[in-house]
Amino acid sequence: YYVQPNQHLFVRATLYGTEPNLMLFTDTCVVSPDPHDVMTVASDLVRRECVRDPTCRNYYSPGKRIFQFKFSGPIYPRVCLQCKILACNTYNYSFQRYQGYRTRGKRSTS
């Protein structure tokens, strides 16, 4: 997308499928002005499941099959977003990332 500085961008990921016990969460999201280089000139929105950008806000989604958030566009004239979104079994308590997600999910979002 081409955006104005500090323009809000909204992102939504939806998990479609027949498995009822899957949930979504974001492992990593970065923005960059270059779609071919999201490492050199990039800003972290989410890194290892933790929000890194103060403009990034999650929205509540019932059922955990939808993950949605917004952020303010950086000063780049073009924004390229790359996210790693994981699906895990709701009842697989041995999954390390799931345990971290569940622990953080109980904390205050303010």
Side-chain angles (χ1 to χ4, degrees):
Y1 287 103
Y2 291 93
V3 297
Q4 299 297 319
N6 298 317
Q7 178 181 347
H8 288 145
L9 295 153
F10 296 87
V11 178
R12 179 177 179 165
T14 304
L15 176 64
Y16 296 100
T18 58
E19 173 58 52
N21 295 326
L22 291 178
M23 62 184 285
L24 285 179
F25 64 97
T26 301
D27 179 80
T28 304
C29 276
V30 297
V31 291
S32 170
D34 184 352
H36 305 290
D37 184 6
V38 294
M39 300 298 284
T40 307
V41 183
S43 299
D44 287 346
L45 295 175
V46 178
R47 178 65 61 183
R48 294 186 180 153
E49 306 164 40
C50 295
V51 174
R52 302 288 186 193
D53 185 294
T55 69
C56 189
R57 299 283 183 258
N58 292 332
Y59 286 99
Y60 172 76
S61 299
K64 301 294 183 189
R65 296 182 74 83
I66 296 172
F67 185 83
Q68 48 194 3
F69 64 95
K70 77 170 184 175
F71 66 98
S72 292
I75 57 172
Y76 317 133
R78 177 171 71 170
V79 174
C80 302
L81 175 70
Q82 183 180 67
C83 292
K84 180 179 177 184
I85 299 173
L86 303 176
C88 68
N89 188 309
T90 303
Y91 301 107
N92 183 358
Y93 299 109
S94 64
F95 187 46
Q96 184 178 4
R97 288 185 173 159
Y98 172 78
Q99 290 174 349
Y101 171 76
R102 296 292 291 175
T103 301
R104 277 192 302 280
K106 294 178 183 177
R107 293 183 186 158
S108 171
T109 58
S110 59

